[in-house]
Structure formats: C-alpha cells, structure tokens
Amino acid sequence: MLQILYLAQDLADPAVRRRTLTLVAGGARVTLAGFRRGANPLAAVHGVEPIELGTTADARFAQRIGAVAGACLRLANRLRHVQRPDVIIARNLEMLAVARRAVALFGGDVPIVYECLDIHRLLLRKDMVGRALRAAEAQLGRDVRWLITSSPAFIEHYFRPLSGINAPPILLENKVLDIDGTAANVAGAAECPPAGVPWKIGWFGALRCRKSLSLLAEFSRMMEGRFEVVLRGRPAYSEFEDFDGALRSEPFMRFEGAYRNPEDLADIYGDVHFTWAIDFFEEGQNSAWLLPNRLYEGCRHGRIPIAMKGTETARFLAVRGIGLVLEEADAESLAALVGSMTPDAYADNAERISRCNPGTWVFDRSDCEALVRRLATLIVEPPRPLPAVAIAEPRHNEGGSL
C-alpha cells in the first residue's frame, strides 16, 4: 500500500479533507500533518488523525513564515512515530519547506509532489518581495517531481512564464468527489420557482471576496425580493470589515454556515437556482485564472453558473456552450443578465448542462485509484529500511527555516 505523507497549510480547509479522502479512496495510506488556522469539525476525516505542526493565521504572511520555521525545528519530534513515506505531497509554498525538512529526517530520497491550487498575489509582485518569494519557491521546489494544479491558466500565466518550478504539471480540476456514486447525490431537477417565490443565487465555498458581497447585496436590493442570495461555507473574516453585520443588514441575503463536501452538496445546491462562480479577490490574477469548486459542484447538480467575462471560468463555459457570463462587474449588469429570466430560458440553460458528460464534473473512485497508481510510479527505494524510531533529532548545523 502506498504510504503518503500529506503536508497541508490548513487542516480546517475542506479542500484538504477532499484531497485526503481522494488518496484514501485510491488505496493509499495517508498521514496528514499541517497547520491549524481555525476550528472546523466538518473537515475531519474518519480514520485519519492529523499531526498538528502549529497555528497560522490568514493574511499574516510573516507569522506563517515564523510558524513554518518553528515547525521545521520540531519536525523530528512530531514525525517520530511516522513510517517512512513513499511520497510526500506538499500543499502550498510554505509546506515545501516542511517537506524538504521531512525528506532529510527520513534519510532517503523521498519524492516530493508540489500541490498549488492558488497563486498568492505576493508571488506575482514585480518588486523585490515578489522576486524573493519566487526565488524561494524555485529553491525549495528544485527537486520536486510533479506539480499538481487545478487550472490550465495557472500553468499558462504563472508556472511557465514566472515560476522557477520545472516539474511536469498534472492538472487535477476541482471536481466533485463521488467515491461510491452515493456520497454526492444529484440534487433534484433544476426548475424555476413558483409564482411569488424568489429565484436564489448560491455563493458557496471560500467566502473571501468583498466585491462580490457588495455587488450581490446591491443587486438583491435592486430586485426587491425577486432574487435572494444564499451564502454557505467558510468566510475569510480577515477580508471583511464586518461580515456577520453586513449580512444581518441585508434583507435578501443570508449566511447558512459551513457544510460537508461532498456529503451536503445535493441539499445546498437543491436550495438554489444559480451558482455564483465569480471571485474578485485577486482580480486580474488568481481570480481570473482559477476554476472554482463551485463551478463543478453547481453544474454537477444542474444549477446555472454565473461567470465573469474574460476569466478562465467564462472560457470553460463558452467551450461547452453553457452558463451565463456577466459583462460588467456591477449590479445593473447582473440585473440585465438574470433579472428577466423566464421558465423557458432557465429550462434551456439547465438542459444544456445536463447534456455534458458527468465526468466533466465528477472525480470518482476509478479516478482516485488512477491518481494513486500514478503517484506510486514515483517510489524510490530507500538505501536501507529505517524504522520510525530511527528519525534523527535535528543537529545544530541543519537548516530549519525558509
């Protein structure tokens, strides 16, 4: 059985849970280790007890560097009972530093896979800070065997022209995990609401975009109750002045809390008609290049995605002839796009989505097994067997910081 050490930047991130479930379903034995940024019991994986390396905070990059340095110094103790892995997967830049330290401790040439599903704005800066971070990424990733990313635009706009990572890229889109064909049951058929009942737009997942919140609030007030906006997921409170207060003051918006992915998807998408597949958080950069989870989730459940013109999401929809594209980022344009939606137009949009191959949206058990088999091709035999207790304590001349 393939032994994977999965190093995660945030143990409370639902995407980390999903990747862990993917690897386990594919037949791997996973040791999960990483930092904690907040409590989220819904991110727990049955049978996998994570090893906590410390605590970090959103939007505090300097604090995260210090936490990583401390974790590297303590890593021998934290991993003392861990069997030597066949492969290490490092999610995000800071975990590359931890992965390199782990390879040194295990005393062998353990292959590292770099998983990067977002391009942080600091990496894209043209000043000394940006150049220094890209140099650090290139140095830490110089021996990386593979790069896992979720959008072809990340490769086109960052990894090929700017990043120093030379590893072959593997595209793993943010599809719905459907291990047994039952965990993510399809929501009921998409239908327009009865007379007098509002249309609903669902904004689900990582809630971090102030501009989206403002735009949707203005739009919902403009529609005077004919549209409602439902938010679910994990708000990035550091990005909002007062997220909870703002929602309380909006008559046609509501926040319904976190959810389990994929177990709760059918229920939450069954409650809406449209998916807000737009993010202005890093406008013109990461937000323009990503293919968000909610794009796949909404289409998997027959809900109509709304994308922003000029983005990779809009291109994805255009290729398939589905979805709606917003021309301008304002409430008036959104009202023009969906405000006069008719039952026939809605049914036509939903029917076009239903004609897409289900594999466009779903990552099933066979996909999980194929991924683990592919990872197994990276196995490097250690020069000699090393029991877990043989992990060396750090020496004073060993590196332990970025």
Side-chain angles (χ1 to χ4, degrees), residues 102-125:
V103 169
L105 291 172
F106 283 110
D109 185 20
V110 182
I112 298 174
V113 174
Y114 180 31
E115 182 178 38
C116 184
L117 308 186
D118 282 298
I119 310 301
H120 196 283
R121 58 185 177 271
L122 292 179
L123 284 165
L124 297 168
R125 285 173 54 160

Side-chain angles (χ1 to χ4, degrees), residues 251-300:
F252 308 114
M253 298 180 73
R254 66 179 191 272
F255 175 55
E256 297 291 338
Y259 57 92
R260 294 175 303 161
N261 187 336
E263 293 89 342
D264 296 337
L265 295 182
D267 289 338
I268 68 173
Y269 281 97
D271 187 43
V272 301
H273 305 95
F274 302 93
T275 302
W276 186 252
I278 296 175
D279 188 329
F280 303 105
F281 178 63
E282 292 174 349
E283 198 167 358
Q285 297 178 339
N286 188 74
S287 292
W289 305 335
L290 58 76
L291 293 173
N293 295 306
R294 50 187 172 266
L295 166 66
Y296 301 89
E297 295 166 2
C299 289
R300 157 70 167 160

Side-chain angles (χ1 to χ4, degrees), residues 324-338:
L324 302 172
V325 175
L326 186 63
E327 293 288 327
E328 301 292 337
D330 55 51
E332 291 78 11
S333 295
L334 183 55
L337 182 66
V338 300

